[in-house]
């Protein structure tokens, strides 16, 4: 039976969870405030309609809410795909960026 280095496993798990928690915090800032928020919602509605068109939908990204609720995509990856909108939503707040220790 192989021995498991529990401290190393726990450290790696903790680093992953902190990064995912911070990504979730960023996603919770959506939609942006003001007119850009209305445009964001329009784009999300449009994407939702486009992905349901047979033969065409595969060329468009899924709306954020669908990625959050109907996939196993990590929060960090969803943040990466929505970085433009998150930057718009967080331009007036301080967001903590986490870089795990090596």
């Amino acid at each position: 039976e192989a021995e498991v280095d529990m401290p190393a496993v726990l450290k790696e798990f903790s680093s992953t969870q902190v990064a995912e928690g911070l990504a979730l915090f960023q996603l919770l800032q959506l939609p942006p405030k003001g007119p850009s928020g209305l445009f964001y919602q329009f784009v999300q509605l449009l994407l939702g309609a486009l992905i349901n068109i047979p033969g065409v939908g595969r060329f468009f990204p899924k709306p954020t809410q669908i990625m959050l609720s109907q996939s196993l995509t990590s929060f960090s990856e969803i943040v990466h795909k929505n970085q433009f909108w998150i930057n718009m939503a967080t331009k007036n707040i301080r967001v903590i960026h986490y870089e795990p220790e090596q």
Side-chain angles (χ1 to χ4, degrees), residues 1-2 8 13 15 29 36 53 66 68 80 84 88 93 99:
E1 199 172 302
F13 176 79
S15 293
Q29 306 314 305
S36 59
I53 298 173
I66 290 177
L68 288 167
H80 179 72
F84 172 79
M88 295 285 288
I93 65 169
E99 294 295 327

Side-chain angles (χ1 to χ4, degrees), residues 64-99:
T64 305
Q65 187 59 44
I66 290 177
M67 283 192 284
L68 288 167
S69 64
Q70 297 180 2
S71 73
L72 297 176
T73 308
S74 71
F75 295 140
S76 297
E77 188 174 335
I78 297 172
V79 163
H80 179 72
K81 291 179 178 183
N82 287 278
Q83 196 61 62
F84 172 79
W85 296 111
I86 289 170
N87 289 345
M88 295 285 288
T90 60
K91 66 181 175 185
N92 292 323
I93 65 169
R94 183 173 172 260
V95 175
I96 299 168
H97 296 280
Y98 174 73
E99 294 295 327

Side-chain angles (χ1 to χ4, degrees), residues 11-75:
K11 183 177 180 178
E12 181 179 338
F13 176 79
S14 180
S15 293
T16 302
Q17 292 309 104
V18 168
E20 286 299 294
L22 291 172
L24 177 58
F25 171 78
Q26 290 180 313
L27 289 167
L28 289 171
Q29 306 314 305
L30 294 175
K33 307 292 185 261
S36 59
L38 292 174
F39 187 61
Y40 167 83
Q41 291 178 350
F42 172 75
V43 168
Q44 296 298 302
L45 181 66
L46 183 62
L47 288 174
L50 290 171
I51 66 167
N52 290 313
I53 298 173
V56 175
R58 62 190 169 114
F59 296 108
F60 295 95
K62 292 180 181 176
T64 305
Q65 187 59 44
I66 290 177
M67 283 192 284
L68 288 167
S69 64
Q70 297 180 2
S71 73
L72 297 176
T73 308
S74 71
F75 295 140

